[in-house]
Each structure stands twice: as C-alpha cells, then as structure tokens.
Amino acid sequence: MQTVRKVVILGGGTSGWIAAALLKKVLGATIDIVLVESDSIGTIGVGEATIPPIRLLNSVLGINEAEFLRETKATIKLAIKFDNWRVPGEGYFHTFGAPGKSLAFCQFHHLWKRARQLGDTTSLWEYDLNYLCARDGKFAPITAKDTILELPYAFHFDAGLYAQYLRKLSEQWGVQRIEGLVNDVMQHPNGDIKNLVLDGGREVSGDLFIDCSGFRGLLIQQKLGAGYDDWSHWLPCDRAVAVPSERFDKTLPYTRAIAHSAGWQWRIPLQHRNGNGLVYSSSHYTEQQAADLLLGNLDSKALADPKFIQFKTGRRRKQWHRNVVSVGLSSGFLEPLESTSIHLIQSAVVRLLQLFPHQGIVSSQVAEYNRQSQLEFEQIRDFIILHYHVNQRTDSQFWRDMQQMTVPDSLQRKIQIFAANGSLFREQNDLFLESSWLQVMMGQGIMPKDYHPIANSFTEQKLKEMLAQFRAIKQQPLSKLPSHDEFLQKVCAQ
Ligand SMILES: Cc1cc2nc3c(=O)[nH]c(=O)nc-3n(C[C@H](O)[C@H](O)[C@H](O)COP(=O)(O)OP(=O)(O)OC[C@H]3O[C@@H](n4cnc5c(N)ncnc54)[C@H](O)[C@@H]3O)c2cc1C
C-alpha cells in the first residue's frame, strides 16, 4: 500500500476546481495537489442552477456570500417551476421549502388532504414560504428560530466564473495548476496510474488521481475501462442545445423547466444574462429542429450561437477504480432537471474526504465509496424519472411512452405507497426530502386516496383554525421582504 501524499486532478471545469478547493481547504499541508487542465479543450460551459447544499460548500470554503454573488453574477434560487409536465398549459413549483409544519407522526399534507375532503380548496403551495416568495419575486435571507419560517435557497450562477473564483482560492491555498494537454497516461505494472504525459513530454506523477476530464473520462474509462450503466431506457433524452440570452428586466428567483413534445427547456436567470437550453431526445428531434424550438421559445434576444452537447444518461460502474476517483461528468450524468450535477461533485469530494486513503488505498474503502455513490445516483435517477413517468399528456408519443415504461422497483414502490394514503419515506441519505417527493408527486398529478388517521383527531373547526394559522404565519414575512432585484442590487453594491 502506497501512502497518499500527492493528488493529481485532471481537469479544470467545475468539478476539477471544486475538488481542488475542498480537498486543499480540508486537508491543508498534509497533501500536495496538482491540477492539470488544457485551455485548448475547454470546459462544458453549462451548469448554472444549484440546490441548497452548495451553501454549505461555500461556507466550508470560507466564501463570503455577498462576494460570491458579485463574482459569479449569481441570483437566488428558491424553487423550480415545472410547466407543461402533467398536461400542457399547467405548471407547478418544486420549492426548497415545505408546506405548513408537520406534526409528530403526521406530515402536514395529511391535514391539508382532510381539509380538502371537507371542501377547502386552498392549494398545498399556499402554505409554503418558498413558493410565496418565488411567486411574488421576493427575497432576503430569513434567520428565524422556528423552522416554519425557514427559507432555504440556492443560486443560479455563471459556472465558468465560479470555477475561476475557486481557482483563485485554490492557488492561494497552494494548489499548483499546470496548463497542458494530456496525450498519454502511464501505468504501474499493477495497473494503477503512474503519471500523466503532457504535450512536450512533461510527466506529472501522483499517488491518487481524480478524473475530472468531463464526459471523455480519460483516466477512469479510456485508460481503466471502469464501465458504464446506461439508463437511457428510463431517461431517453440524450442531447442538449444551449444558448445565452439577454437578461430580463425582472429577475425571477427560480429556475423554469418547460416541457415540450419530446424534452424540456431550461431558463436560468443570472445578473447579466439568462441561461437557456433544451434537453431532448435525438430520436424525436433533429439538431435543427431542436435549435429552432429553443430559439423560438426564448423570451429575450440570443447572445450567441446555439451549442450542442451529447450525453448518455447513466453512471460509471466503478466511480472509484484502482487509484482513480472520477468526479463530475466523468463519473456519470443525470440530466439537469433537478440541478443535481454540481451537487454530485460536492458530495463525491466530501465522500472522498471521509474515506481519504492517507495510509494507502484499501479495497473495503473503495467498495464503500462505490456503494454510497451508486445509491446516491440511483435515488436521484428515480426522482427524475418520476417527473417523466407520472404525466397525463396525450399530445405526443414521447409522453405516452413515458407513461407506459416500466420504472425501477424502488420508484414504483414509492409511487404506490404515496398514491394509497399519502405516506412518504425518506430513504437513507436520499438527497430529496419528503417535501420534494410530495411536491413532484402532487404536481405530476398523484392525489393520494386517503390520509393518515391522526388528521381525524382534530375537530373540523380545530383543523380549519390550525391551517389558517399556518397560512398566516407563512405569509407574515412577505410584506417585509424586498424584491429579489432590490436584494441583489443592495448586495452587489456593497
Ligand atoms: C446540458 C447540461 C446542463 C447542465 N446544467 C446543470 C445545472 O443546471 N446544474 C448543475 O448542477 N449541473 C449542470 N450540468 C452539469 C455541469 O455542467 C457539470 O457537472 C459541471 O460543469 C462539471 O463538469 P466537469 O468539470 O466534470 O467537466 P468539464 O467542464 O467538461 O471539464 C473537463 C476538464 O477536463 C480538461 N481535460 C479534458 N481532457 C483533457 C486532456 N486530455 N488534457 C488536459 N485537460 C483535459 C478540460 O480542459 C476541462 O478543464 C449540466 C450539464 C449539461 C451537459
């Protein structure tokens, strides 16, 4: 067993620089980190919507939030609005918040469901502060002791600027960056990676290699052949076309995901522009049709030519293999419907830190890393499939096929249990909380047949009062909050 003192990261996209910054920040002088990247190859250059755990990453890195918002041209994200997913012309929100407040053994939606059966027509989302703020375009961080007033948020940001920002920090902390094209990789006799050979012959050796080389998976796949589990039979979209456009006058504090006849379009508001893209199935649209559909559905002027990206949904079979850990696109890809890719980078590096092989790589640790990574990818996969599978669209073959497909057992079980009586269970370490599953199940059209009997333990009058009180509490902060744009202007002027 060789001790690990020198880590070599191949790739300087979002994944390379998150890995470099986090490893260096936490492990400090105990390891040397070298990052190799090639400007001639460049980065994928999309990936702009995030989820709340990114705030934890920034906080561990000691990043000042106001500075971060300025440097990365970021805006606030409170939710995703899904349009046309259940049926054309209708939309729902998946917020980072939760409706009402749950009682012990009885989640809020059971109370709501009983009230609904008694004739109350208030939407579940009216009890969710994130929804109310997203709807009204309002935001400021809320620091309340009572969890009912939590306002969880994430960011939309320019991923290129974020990588540059992390590069600046990483280099200050001692990460060495080498600009160069890797055109060969040498192995030890046992098959482990020994060094990268750059254009011009320079060799970069290391004990542990982190493959952040993007979809090409230069080390993990091209050299070590770690394999790939293809999930495109569940998630058939295999292309994206992306284009930036001019910013809107009013900046929405949420991402939009607009379904089309064979895919969906994202709209991500940044301070200086909007990010737009269409994720689609190449069996249904040609490149030209996809580009026309995207450009025809922009709400502001395009700022560049459309850029096409090919992918295959799935995961690297062994995300850690020998002395190579794959992070980012080299480790697998799930379409950006729930903005999970940058989170998967963060969580992979945290997992590596927890199992860091200072004294040498041990097979049981590698197996544990791979087990956890597999579970995490599969749980997110199921959540994404849910959006596609539970739809009531009859306008295209694509959506009808999605309804008919056989989904993973793990998802089928969840859907059946929820449809019966509204029960939701969070699997161990599932990234998505019950409130996320609830909103998407309901938004896609599953109304549970029944509710938990605890909801019957209140008189009708008491139930009404409780719900009215929850609603009033959730609405309270609204009048005091600035608009999202006012908040950004204030922070960015500082
Ligand atoms: C269409 C689309 C939309 C997305 N939207 C989101 C989103 O909204 N939210 C989200 O969280 N994520 C999103 N993602 C994912 C996100 O973009 C990526 O997870 C993230 O950018 C990480 O990419 P990466 O660093 O792994 O790879 P890349 O950005 O491809 O970087 C690869 C790096 O490897 C280097 N490299 C490769 N080969 C060599 C070589 N031979 N020699 C030297 N250097 C080399 C390159 O120079 C580059 O620096 C999206 C992805 C796609 C495809």
Side-chain angles (χ1 to χ4, degrees), residues 11-12 14-15 38 41-44 46-47 49 180 182 213 216 329 336 341-342:
T14 321
S15 62
S38 166
I41 291 190
T43 61
I44 194 89
V46 279
V182 173
S213 65
R216 53 182 67 72
L329 298 173
S341 289
I342 293 174

Side-chain angles (χ1 to χ4, degrees), residues 43-47 215 237-243 266 276-282 287 290 306-312 329 333 336:
T43 61
I44 194 89
V46 279
F215 284 128
C237 289
D238 57 355
R239 296 279 192 285
V241 50
V243 74
W266 75 79
N276 308 276
L278 180 78
V279 171
Y280 67 97
S281 149
S282 61
E287 278 199 352
K307 175 179 169 181
F308 292 90
I309 301 154
Q310 291 189 19
F311 56 83
K312 188 191 279 180
L329 298 173
F333 185 66

